[in-house]
Amino acid sequence: MFFIILSIIELLVIIVLSYCIKEYYIERESLRMSIARLQQDMGYRMSAHIETMLKKAHNIRHKIPAEFYTKSIRKNAIVKETCERFYEALTKAYMNK
C-alpha cells in the first residue's frame, strides 16, 4: 500500500513538473520573439537616424566651398577650420532636431 501511495505522489510530481517546464518554454519563446521584434525595431530606428544625419551632412556640405575639400587637413589650416565648422554645424543641426 505504501508503494502505491508513493508511486501516485511521484506521478503527480512528474505531472506538475512537466506542466512547469511546458509553461517555461512557452514564456521563453514569447520573450525570444519579443527580443527579435525589439532588435528589428531598433535597426529601423538606427537606419532612419543615420539617414537623417546623412541628409543634414549633405545639406551642410553645400554651404562650404568645394576647394576646401581637395586640400590636405595637415597642410592647410583653412581646411582644419572648415572641418571644425562642419562638425559644429552638424552637431548644432542634430541638437536642434
Side-chain angles (χ1 to χ4, degrees), residues 64 68 73 78-88:
I64 300 172
F68 289 158
I73 294 175
I78 297 172
V79 175
K80 183 176 180 182
E81 182 182 339
T82 304
C83 291
E84 289 173 2
R85 284 188 195 170
F86 178 77
Y87 177 74
E88 289 171 6

Side-chain angles (χ1 to χ4, degrees), residues 4-83:
I4 295 173
I5 293 173
L6 187 62
S7 299
I8 292 173
I9 291 173
E10 287 177 352
L11 182 62
L12 289 174
V13 168
I14 290 171
I15 292 171
V16 169
L17 288 175
S18 297
Y19 179 75
C20 290
I21 290 171
K22 179 183 172 187
E23 289 298 317
Y24 165 76
Y25 279 115
I26 291 171
E27 185 68 22
R28 182 177 173 214
E29 277 303 312
S30 172
L31 289 174
R32 184 179 287 162
M33 295 298 288
S34 176
I35 289 171
R37 206 170 26 249
L38 181 64
Q39 286 176 340
Q40 185 179 19
D41 184 48
M42 286 173 44
Y44 290 146
R45 288 183 184 192
M46 287 302 293
S47 63
H49 181 71
I50 289 169
E51 187 68 30
T52 57
M53 289 299 291
L54 286 175
K55 284 181 184 176
K56 288 178 182 177
H58 184 68
N59 291 338
I60 293 171
R61 182 178 67 96
H62 291 296
K63 295 178 183 176
I64 300 172
E67 65 264 6
F68 289 158
Y69 289 110
T70 60
K71 298 179 182 177
S72 172
I73 294 175
R74 293 181 182 152
K75 294 180 183 176
N76 193 341
I78 297 172
V79 175
K80 183 176 180 182
E81 182 182 339
T82 304
C83 291

Side-chain angles (χ1 to χ4, degrees), residues 49 52-53 56 60 88-97:
H49 181 71
T52 57
M53 289 299 291
K56 288 178 182 177
I60 293 171
E88 289 171 6
L90 185 63
T91 54
K92 187 179 181 183
Y94 174 69
M95 293 306 224
N96 290 335
K97 181 182 174 185

